[in-house]
Amino acid sequence: MKVLVPVKRVIDYNVKARVKADQTGVDLANVKMSMNPFCEIAVEEAVRLKEKGVATEIVAVSIGPQQAQETLRTALAMGADRAILVQTDQDLEPLAIAKVLKAIIAEESPELVLMGKQAIDGDNNATGQMLAALLDWPQAAFASEVVIEGGKAKVTREVDGGLQTLSVDLPAVVTADLRLNEPRYASLPNIMKAKKKPMDVKELGSLGVDTAAKLKVVKVTEPPKRSAGVKVETADDLVSKLKTAGVL
């Protein structure tokens, strides 16, 4: 079974994002970048499926600038077999990304697309669902457990009322939630091996996909700074402060 895992290059989660002075977006100059954490979880799950003998090949795919090759090399070091970079300097919207992935899937014919539920930069949480709709494939989002057997994916997902278990026919799209697994660190030998694994670079224009923007960013601003707290001596003082603030 071939598993395709889309991965995204984002600002490292330990870095505090800065807004550009002209408020047109987030400043990426000289900022540490890394693989989106949810994408790491998806890669880890694909590798575990291969270790169990369920998956036979893992293909990592990224859509972004030339520097996204570093992100793909990380996926290869974690255990992916080969990588595909769709090179573009455009900041694509979720629908455009889903269209590009659909074109790659048409070429690769995977039995499972395993991807992060969202990226921590845009927080859109939409690409997986849009991709499943474009492909007309079943989907299981926010997976906390994935079991593949008998041509089906049994997916446990967390919902407000507890846990929900879905059974979807393959091929399918599954998006990974935070508690699906704990991604491994790539060992030095695997990092060295990753340099020799194949990586195919395609230009976005060669896929013939309409990636025109449907949305326009009007302004990007930092959240307002939190005001300092106030210490109170007694519970009565606390109630009085809450009443004054209009909370009670």
Side-chain angles (χ1 to χ4, degrees), residues 145-162:
E145 183 181 3
V146 178
V147 177
I148 307 294
E149 56 184 7
K152 294 180 180 291
K154 184 178 178 182
V155 178
T156 302
R157 57 196 301 265
E158 296 182 358
V159 295
D160 291 341

Side-chain angles (χ1 to χ4, degrees), residues 109-162:
S109 301
E111 286 77 33
L112 176 65
V113 175
L114 188 54
M115 59 195 300
K117 70 170 185 177
Q118 67 190 76
I120 62 171
D121 52 1
D123 270 342
N124 291 299
N125 185 9
T127 304
Q129 294 89 327
M130 288 178 170
L131 177 60
L134 291 174
L135 293 169
D136 196 24
W137 285 8
Q139 62 172 299
F142 320 135
S144 60
E145 183 181 3
V146 178
V147 177
I148 307 294
E149 56 184 7
K152 294 180 180 291
K154 184 178 178 182
V155 178
T156 302
R157 57 196 301 265
E158 296 182 358
V159 295
D160 291 341

Side-chain angles (χ1 to χ4, degrees), residues 165-229:
T165 301
L166 303 176
S167 179
V168 295
D169 294 327
L170 299 179
V173 177
V174 176
T175 68
D177 207 346
L178 188 64
R179 280 168 285 278
L180 179 58
N181 59 53
E182 183 72 29
R184 70 192 67 190
Y185 288 102
S187 64
L188 183 58
N190 286 338
I191 292 173
M192 300 305 293
K193 290 177 183 177
K195 295 180 180 180
K196 298 181 180 179
K197 290 184 178 180
M199 181 181 300
D200 186 13
V201 179
K202 301 174 182 286
E203 291 297 328
L204 178 63
S206 68
L207 298 177
V209 176
D210 176 18
T211 58
K214 310 296 182 183
L215 305 174
K216 179 182 178 181
V217 176
V218 178
K219 184 170 64 173
V220 178
T221 59
E222 292 186 3
K225 294 183 179 179
R226 296 179 62 180
S227 57

